[in-house]
Amino acid sequence: GIGLPEDLPEETKKKLFTEQTGKKSIEEDRETVFESNIGSFGLALIGNTVLLFGIIFLWQFVQQLGFPVFSFLFGVLSVAIILFFARILRARIAHMSFMFDLVGQSLLYFFILRLHFFSENPMIPWKGLSILLLLGVIGNQVYNSIKKESQIYAGIALAMTIVTGYVSDTIFFMLSAAILTAAGAVFFFFRYGWKTTLITSIFLSYSMFVIWMLKNPALLNADSFKLH
C-alpha cells in the first residue's frame, strides 16, 4: 500500500515500512509478543520455583532448630500469604495468579504431609487423620481442575494421590490410590480429552503396582505360585 519495490530484501522492506508508516509489520508484532510472553512466563516460573524451595528450606531450618510449633505457624502463614496474592492478582496478572496458586497448593500439601510423615516427633500422631487432610487438599485440586478446566491441576492432583498412597504404607490404600488415579485420568480424558494426563496416570499407576510388589517379596517368589 506504500509502493515498496518488489525486488528489495525482506529486512529492507520491513525497515522502510516501519519508517514510512511508523508501525511495525505483522511479523514483527508477533515476534515481539512471543518474546514478551517467553520473558514474562519464564521469569515468573523461575521466581515461583525459587519461592517454593526457599520457603521449604526456611521451614526445614526452623524445624531442625527444635521449634515445630513455629515452623508450623510459618508454613500456615506462608501458604495464606501466597494464596492471598494469587487471589488479588487473578484479574490483573492471570499467569502470576495461576503460578502463585500452584505454589500455595503444593506447599499446603507438603506441610500437611510433614505433620505426620517423615517426622521424628509428628504433630499429628494419627496416620488416618493425616491421610484425610491430604485427601482434602487433593479434592480441592480436583475441584480446581474441573472448575478451571486445567490439565495441570488435574495432573498435580493425580500425582498427589499416588504420593499419598505410597507414604500411607498400607496395601489397601496403595492399591486404592492407583485405582483412583486411573479412574480420574479416564474421567478427565473422556470429558476434556486430556491425553497427557491419561498417559501420566498410566505410568504412575504402574509405578504404584511395582512398588507394591517390591514391598511384598512373596509375590516375586515363583514358589509361592505353585500349587501344593
Side-chain angles (χ1 to χ4, degrees):
I2 60 175
L4 294 177
E6 294 295 334
D7 57 345
L8 289 177
E10 286 297 324
E11 292 298 326
T12 305
K13 287 182 180 180
K14 291 179 182 180
K15 186 176 180 180
L16 290 174
F17 179 85
T18 303
E19 291 176 353
Q20 295 182 26
T21 64
K23 300 178 180 179
K24 293 183 179 181
S25 64
I26 296 176
E27 291 78 8
E28 287 178 316
D29 286 335
R30 289 175 178 174
E31 290 176 1
T32 302
V33 172
F34 179 71
E35 292 173 358
S36 176
N37 287 338
I38 290 180
S40 60
F41 280 93
L43 290 175
L45 179 60
I46 294 174
N48 279 277
T49 302
V50 173
L51 176 65
L52 174 66
F53 288 102
I55 292 177
I56 291 176
F57 173 79
L58 289 176
W59 179 88
Q60 187 70 27
F61 178 74
V62 176
Q63 183 85 355
Q64 290 178 348
L65 289 177
F67 302 104
V69 176
F70 286 106
S71 65
F72 171 74
L73 294 176
F74 170 75
V76 172
L77 184 62
S78 300
V79 171
I81 291 175
I82 292 174
L83 293 179
F84 171 75
F85 277 107
R87 186 175 184 84
I88 64 175
L89 291 175
R90 185 177 303 169
R92 300 178 182 178
I93 313 176
H95 68 277
M96 281 296 297
S97 172
F98 174 73
M99 291 185 182
F100 272 143
D101 192 56
L102 288 182
V103 171
Q105 297 291 341
S106 300
L107 286 173
L108 181 62
Y109 179 84
F110 173 79
F111 291 142
I112 292 178
L113 181 71
R114 293 297 302 271
L115 288 177
H116 176 83
F117 301 99
F118 309 110
S119 300
E120 295 181 359
N121 298 307
M123 293 190 65
I124 298 181
W126 307 284
K127 180 192 293 187
L129 177 59
S130 181
I131 292 177
L132 187 63
L133 293 175
L134 292 175
L135 291 177
V137 178
I138 295 171
N140 184 57
Q141 289 292 97
V142 174
Y143 171 77
N144 285 330
S145 67
I146 296 175
K147 180 181 178 181
K148 302 177 181 180
E149 296 186 5
S150 172
Q151 186 170 192
I152 296 179
Y153 279 108
I156 293 176
L158 297 180
M160 286 180 175
T161 304
I162 289 294
V163 172
T164 304
Y166 174 74
V167 299
S168 69
D169 200 28
T170 57
I171 295 177
F172 171 77
F173 198 81
M174 288 177 68
L175 296 181
S176 298
I179 294 173
L180 286 174
T181 300
V186 170
F187 166 78
F188 288 127
F189 175 73
F190 281 107
R191 181 161 183 173
Y192 303 109
W194 293 343
K195 294 182 181 180
T196 304
T197 302
L198 181 64
I199 295 172
T200 303
S201 72
I202 292 173
F203 171 77
L204 292 174
S205 298
Y206 274 103
S207 299
M208 179 62 73
F209 280 115
V210 170
I211 294 172
W212 172 61
M213 292 182 66
L214 293 176
K215 283 180 171 289
N216 295 270
L219 295 175
L220 302 177
N221 185 1
D223 293 336
S224 64
F225 291 96
K226 293 181 180 180
L227 297 176
H228 299 284

